[in-house]
Structures are given as structure tokens and as C-alpha cells.
Amino acid sequence: MSTSIDELFKGHSSNGTKRKLETSRNAEEVYKAAKVSANGTSRNATVEDEEDDTEAGPELPPNNDIADDEEGRFFGGGMSKDTADVLDYLDEQDGADAAEPEKIDAAWLRRLALNFERRISKNAELRAKYEDDPQKFMASEGDLDADLKALSILTDHPALYPEFAKLGCVASLVSLLAHENTDIAIDAIELISELTDEDVQAQQSDWDSLVTALLDVDLPNLLSQNLTRLDESQETDRNGVYHTLSLLENLASQPSLVQRLTVDNDLLKWLLSRIQQKETPITVTQNKAYAAELLSILSQSSESTVGALIDLNAIDIFLTLLSSYRKRDPVKGSDEEEYVENIFNALTICGGLPLGKEQFLEAEGVELCLIMLKEGKFSKSRALRTLDHALAGFAVPALGEKFVEAAGLKVVGGMLGKKMDRSTTEHVLGIFASLLGQLPGDSAARIRVLAKFVDGEYDKVEKLMKIRQEYGGRLRPVDQQISAERKTLKSQEEKDDMEAEWQSRRLDAGLYSFQTANVILAWVAAEDAGARKHIASKLADEDESLSDVRRVLSDLMNAVKGGDDEESRAAADMYQTLQEVLQ
């Protein structure tokens, strides 16, 4: 038994915020889409333009102030006072004319869209006509790039997204991902990433209308194709890969869209390939870390995606990559640390499915995790969590047998005898509960597990009792508060609405550890008469009895009873049997 995946991975990144592009050059030099003012002027005029702060010609003379002549005719720049007054007046008039902002509405968007479509058509026409003479179509390419950047102003007006989609502009925009000039394709990707970014204050319905239009014109397939033609040794292409991953993260923020993103597995194949690429001098670059993060996000969103990853041999890939960290820690606070964290996350989720458990066993995942528990630092807690989820359930008993065979009882049993934080406590208890629940009753492995709790004057039973007492003490006042709140609610509907919040508060207080300790105690009491007597005596010291343990088992049974999957039915039968044995 273990905590749910949802509880484990509520935040997929280490700091809970979306990744930002890191560049090696000054921001002014980075090729990116620019927001423009309402009059349509762009920060970057063409695809090839770069600002150069170096002035040509000889060095300028010192800028010594020259005093005005006696007649007041000249002002520093050799300009008469009358001329200066006239120019000031003209500047004021120009400023007044420019002060009127253009109205950003549907009519404005239609004009912008029409011009955008014309740019695309003109560029395509010139490219076809002068295929062997780039000079003849480069100007049209610059115009197209400028208009493409101009569309970024829509991020300030997301209410126009539905109209943008209705006009057919989305299809035209996505078509640019196949443009022969990768700079144009990258700009299109960056623009779509900006439009769908979480920072845009869009209503869900407006965002949905844009994204639906994007998916309807096969955006995921074009993104996958584009990734294969970008050369990350070039900074522009490297940034293009980053913007592609950023766009995919935006879309994956809606779990319902994930299956459409990964329908043909091309994206998953690229991501798995990308995280395996060897890089120097930096072991893990930003894009490599981002690819691992996206795999973690996608694996949390859809069971079908996890199944696809397993089919692509992802578990073996994850274990191979993590084996480098069985003794070595990633650099603290680096992209490498986040990379390792996200691979562990994806591995843990994949190892939770029955087919994933089998691959985890075959790829010697148990052995690697035990090595990390003994010798690792950063990897130790992650390996423990991964083992807990791999062993959970009843689907692959051979995992439990391999765990015992590989001396896992000595490693994890030793942790039970020491002071543990809350997370470690949950995973250690989860592992022992899983072993007792899945190992055959007459197997040597099961006998060895039980021996851990009956040897040494019941030392491990004493530890379990202390854990039960500690977390029961934390849970009691929370239950009392919930009981008082329940009495103030008149209708059943109000109570039903509060159930999720009440359960969350109970989990925060340590419900899982309390329940799991009771399950292990129930198993030990059911199978060893001496242990049963010892447990009953310790419970009596707290004015409790085995009936209190049975009550916990009853709550657990009711929580899974009626489930239509095999795991739920097996768990309900187990809790029912334990209650009967403890009568």
C-alpha cells in the first residue's frame, strides 16, 4: 500500500514555477518573438537584423560643451534658437498624433489577419518562383517574420483568441512550422508558446478555442517533425527546441490533451532519446533537463501515456540513466539535480503499473534501488519511494520475493529501527505492508518478513506501536475538530462537499502512517501467537484493544469496497480476512 501518485507529484518541478529560457548571450542578441505596440512596430525588423552598438569611423572628439555665442544664435548643435523652436513645435504635433492608440478589436484583428495571410502567400509565391535565387525572396521573408512577431500582441488581448481561430489564422500559423527557413518555423513555435502560456490572462473558454484549433491542424505531429530537424549545436535552433518543449508543457497543463499530444509516440521517442544524449562540458544542459521534466509531466497526466512509455522500454532507460547516481550526487541546485529528480518521478509512476512492475523486475530495478539505499545520498530517498510504489499491490509477487532475496529486509528493516522523518516512515511502512499482503503464506520470503517482527524480543513491534501512538496522537485532535464541524452542517449535501477537505486534513495529520502501522500489526498478530499477546498488552497500556485495530481495517475495507478493479477487490478481501482473524 502506498500514497497515490497524485499526492506524490502535485508539483512537477523543483520550485513549482514554469521553466524560463536561459541564454548565453545578451538578451538583445537573442532571436525571439517580440511584443509590439498597437501600431504594429516590431522590436526586431527582420529575420537577419541584429543591433550593433559599435559606431563606425574614427573615434569621436571629446564632447566638450561649447558656450553659446554672444548673440545666442547657436545651441551646442549649431542650431539657431528660431529653428529649435520650430522643430520643438513640430515634435509636439507629431507626438499628439501618435498619442491616439489604435483600437484592438475584431475589426483590427481581421485587418491584421488579412495582411498576415498575404505575407504568407507572397513569400510562398516568391520562394517557388525564385527557388535558386534567395535574394529575390529574402525581403518577403523579413516582412513575414515581422508580421509573425506582430501577432504576439494577442497575448494582451486573449478575448480575441476565438475570432483568431475562426478567421483561419491558426491553420496558417501552424503551417509555418513546415517553412523551409527554420528561423520562421522557430518564430511560429515561440509565438504559439507565448499565446498558450500560463502567464496570459485568458479565460478557459478562450484558451480552449485556440488550443482546439491548434490540435485540429495537427500541431503535435508538426512539432515532432520540427524537433528532428533542429540542430542544437546552433543557438537559434537550441532556443527553438526550448520553445517547443515550453509549448508542449503549456498544452500538457490540461491532462485531457495529453493523449492527443502523444497519440503516435513520436514525441515520446524524441524525449526518451534526448534525455540519453551525452553532453559536454556540461553533463546536463537546460534542454536535456527540460525533456526529463516533460516526461515527468506527461507520465502524471495519462495512464495510456505511461503504458506507451513502458512499451518504449522507458523503465530500462530510466534505470540506466539513474545508475550513474547510485553513489554520485548531482550538483545541488543545478539542471542536473532537477533532471535526476524528474527521471525518478517518471520511473516511480511507470513502475506503479503491472506491466511496469514486470519491466522493473527484469531490469534489476530492485537491486539498483537497494544499492542506492545503502550507498547513495541524494538518490536514497528517491530510491525508497520508487521501491515502495513498485512493490505496492498484488500484481507481481515476484517483486517481493526478489526484494527479500536481495537482502532488502536488512536494509529497510534497519531503517525501521532508526529515527525517520514522515516521508521515510510512510515508505518503509508501505514496503512492509506490501510484502505481507502479496507474498504467499507458506513461502520462505514471507517467513523471513515475519521473523523481522518477532525476533529480538519484538523490537520491531515496539517500534510499530510507537509509530501508531505518535500518528494516532496527531490524528485525534483533527478527527475531533472534523466531528464538531460535521455536527454544524445540516444537510448531507453540505457534508459530502466537505469530505475531500476533511480527508486532506486527516492525511496531513498522518492518517496514512497510522493506518499502515495498524495493517502490519494486524498481520503480525494474525500469524504469531506470541506477537498477538504482546501487541494486545501494549494496546491495553493505551486503553485500547485489538478491536481498535479492527476498526481501522474496517475503514480501509470500506474505502476500497465496491471498486471494479482487481486490486481493489483483492485489498477488500485482505482487510476482511484480517478482521475475522483478529476476532
Side-chain angles (χ1 to χ4, degrees):
M1 93 186 256
S2 63
T3 48
S4 71
I5 293 296
D6 289 340
E7 292 163 6
L8 277 172
F9 305 114
K10 286 181 180 177
H12 59 259
S13 66
S14 57
N15 58 11
T17 58
K18 193 170 186 293
R19 183 183 293 271
K20 300 299 181 184
L21 175 63
E22 298 170 3
T23 59
S24 58
R25 298 185 299 168
N26 184 284
E28 290 292 334
E29 299 174 324
V30 176
Y31 185 86
K32 64 181 182 177
K35 286 205 174 181
V36 294
S37 61
N39 63 14
T41 58
S42 171
R43 287 197 307 231
N44 297 330
T46 69
V47 179
E48 300 177 329
D49 285 347
E50 289 187 3
E51 294 184 7
D52 188 351
D53 294 330
T54 305
E55 295 187 11
E59 183 177 351
L60 295 173
N63 186 22
N64 296 326
D65 292 333
I66 302 175
D68 297 342
D69 67 326
E70 293 179 356
E71 298 180 5
R73 186 181 57 180
F74 296 110
F75 290 83
M79 183 186 301
S80 71
K81 186 176 185 306
D82 290 342
T83 302
D85 290 341
V86 170
L87 290 179
D88 287 342
Y89 174 79
L90 292 175
D91 285 344
E92 290 174 5
Q93 295 304 307
D94 289 343
D97 293 339
E100 287 188 34
E102 186 174 4
K103 185 177 182 181
I104 308 298
D105 57 11
W108 169 88
L109 180 60
R110 284 192 289 272
R111 293 193 300 272
L112 188 69
L114 180 60
N115 192 56
F116 180 54
E117 296 287 349
R118 286 172 177 168
R119 296 293 193 196
I120 294 176
S121 298
K122 178 72 176 295
N123 178 244
E125 179 184 339
L126 291 176
R127 266 190 167 272
K129 188 174 181 179
Y130 303 106
E131 183 178 358
D132 298 326
D133 190 358
Q135 292 298 325
K136 295 287 182 64
F137 59 75
M138 283 308 296
S140 71
E141 217 121 288
D143 292 339
L144 173 58
D145 183 68
D147 277 15
L148 187 61
K149 288 179 169 66
L151 289 172
S152 65
I153 195 175
L154 288 173
T155 59
D156 295 327
H157 305 277
L160 293 174
Y161 283 3
E163 182 69 17
F164 185 66
K166 183 179 178 181
L167 290 170
C169 290
V170 171
S172 300
L173 177 58
V174 172
S175 72
L176 292 178
L177 270 64
H179 199 281
E180 294 88 341
N181 185 340
T182 55
D183 286 352
I184 296 290
I186 290 169
D187 264 6
I189 292 169
E190 184 175 5
L191 173 61
I192 300 172
S193 178
E194 290 176 358
L195 294 174
T196 56
D197 193 86
E198 61 183 7
D199 290 338
V200 176
Q201 302 299 310
Q203 295 293 323
Q204 188 64 46
S205 58
D206 295 333
W207 192 89
D208 288 345
S209 66
L210 173 64
V211 171
T212 298
L214 289 168
L215 296 177
D216 285 346
V217 291
D218 205 20
L219 174 66
N221 184 45
L222 286 169
L223 287 174
S224 297
Q225 291 178 17
N226 230 41
L227 283 169
T228 60
R229 70 167 176 158
L230 295 178
D231 177 9
E232 289 192 67
S233 66
Q234 305 298 316
E235 184 169 14
T236 298
D237 283 17
R238 189 160 61 248
N239 291 346
V241 170
Y242 170 87
H243 293 305
T244 301
L245 297 177
S246 178
L247 169 54
L248 290 166
E249 182 183 2
N250 295 343
L251 299 177
S253 66
Q254 300 296 315
S256 60
L257 301 178
V258 170
Q259 192 167 356
R260 296 187 66 178
L261 294 177
T262 59
V263 65
D264 58 3
N265 289 348
D266 286 345
L267 172 61
L268 297 180
K269 290 176 184 176
W270 186 89
L271 290 172
L272 288 171
S273 173
R274 185 64 185 85
I275 64 173
Q276 296 178 77
Q277 289 182 17
K278 296 186 182 299
E279 299 177 324
T280 56
I282 301 174
T283 306
V284 178
T285 58
Q286 185 183 32
N287 283 348
K288 186 175 181 179
Y290 208 166
E293 181 180 347
L294 195 56
L295 281 169
S296 175
I297 294 170
L298 294 173
S299 65
Q300 295 170 51
S301 304
S302 164
E303 188 169 310
S304 63
T305 301
V306 177
L309 283 169
I310 294 171
D311 290 340
L312 293 171
N313 202 32
I315 288 181
D316 188 57
I317 292 172
F318 294 151
L319 288 169
T320 299
L321 294 172
L322 291 173
S323 65
S324 300
Y325 300 94
R326 58 187 182 276
K327 297 181 182 179
R328 180 177 72 85
D329 287 350
V331 178
K332 188 173 180 61
S334 65
D335 281 331
E336 183 183 20
E337 184 179 61
E338 188 176 349
Y339 166 81
V340 176
E341 183 75 67
N342 281 309
I343 292 180
F344 262 118
N345 288 350
L347 172 63
T348 300
I349 296 170
C350 290
L353 291 186
L355 181 58
K357 295 175 188 292
E358 293 175 2
Q359 284 195 11
F360 187 79
L361 176 63
E362 293 171 3
E364 300 183 350
V366 172
E367 292 89 334
L368 176 61
C369 286
L370 289 175
I371 291 174
M372 290 177 169
L373 286 179
K374 289 185 289 186
E375 302 178 1
K377 293 181 181 178
F378 179 87
S379 62
K380 185 173 183 177
S381 61
R382 282 88 181 165
L384 181 65
R385 183 188 65 193
T386 300
L387 272 177
D388 181 15
H389 282 268
L391 290 167
F394 307 91
V396 188
L399 266 171
E401 294 174 354
K402 173 58 70 174
F403 177 85
V404 175
E405 178 188 319
L409 289 177
K410 180 178 180 181
V411 178
V412 179
M415 297 172 72
L416 185 60
K418 300 175 183 177
K419 184 176 181 180
M420 302 182 292
D421 61 26
R422 176 173 168 175
S423 176
T424 303
T425 300
E426 290 181 352
H427 294 309
V428 169
L429 294 179
I431 288 172
F432 276 111
S434 297
L435 292 172
L436 290 167
Q438 70 181 228
L439 291 172
D442 57 351
S443 67
R446 183 181 184 80
I447 293 171
R448 290 175 62 183
V449 174
L450 288 169
K452 274 288 176 184
F453 295 97
V454 299
D455 288 348
E457 300 297 324
Y458 303 111
D459 291 342
K460 295 295 190 292
V461 169
E462 292 280 350
K463 179 64 175 178
L464 283 175
M465 293 298 300
K466 289 180 180 178
I467 291 174
R468 182 184 184 276
Q469 182 180 1
E470 176 186 350
Y471 286 96
R474 296 182 186 182
L475 192 60
R476 198 169 297 114
V478 175
D479 284 343
Q480 291 171 352
Q481 179 65 32
I482 291 173
S483 178
E485 291 175 10
R486 193 184 297 274
K487 292 176 181 177
T488 65
L489 300 179
K490 296 180 181 180
S491 69
Q492 185 60 44
E493 183 179 356
E494 290 178 306
K495 295 176 182 178
D496 292 342
D497 290 342
M498 287 296 296
E499 284 297 338
E501 180 182 333
W502 287 335
Q503 183 69 1
S504 176
R505 283 157 57 182
R506 298 187 78 209
L507 286 168
D508 289 342
L511 175 64
Y512 177 79
S513 292
F514 175 73
Q515 289 178 329
T516 311
N518 276 276
V519 171
I520 299 172
L521 288 168
W523 274 118
V524 176
E527 301 206 28
D528 185 271
R532 178 171 183 152
K533 183 177 180 180
H534 188 80
I535 292 170
S537 173
K538 290 297 179 180
L539 287 169
D541 291 343
E542 300 294 327
D543 293 326
E544 293 184 287
S545 67
L546 288 172
S547 63
D548 293 288
V549 176
R550 290 199 303 271
R551 190 176 301 110
V552 175
L553 295 171
S554 178
D555 290 341
L556 287 167
M557 183 186 70
N558 291 332
V560 296
K561 195 174 182 179
D564 56 3
D565 60 287
E566 188 175 341
E567 289 279 325
S568 295
R569 290 192 292 271
D573 290 343
M574 180 187 73
Y575 296 135
Q576 178 66 45
T577 301
L578 283 173
Q579 289 179 74
E580 294 171 356
V581 173
L582 293 183
Q583 289 286 356

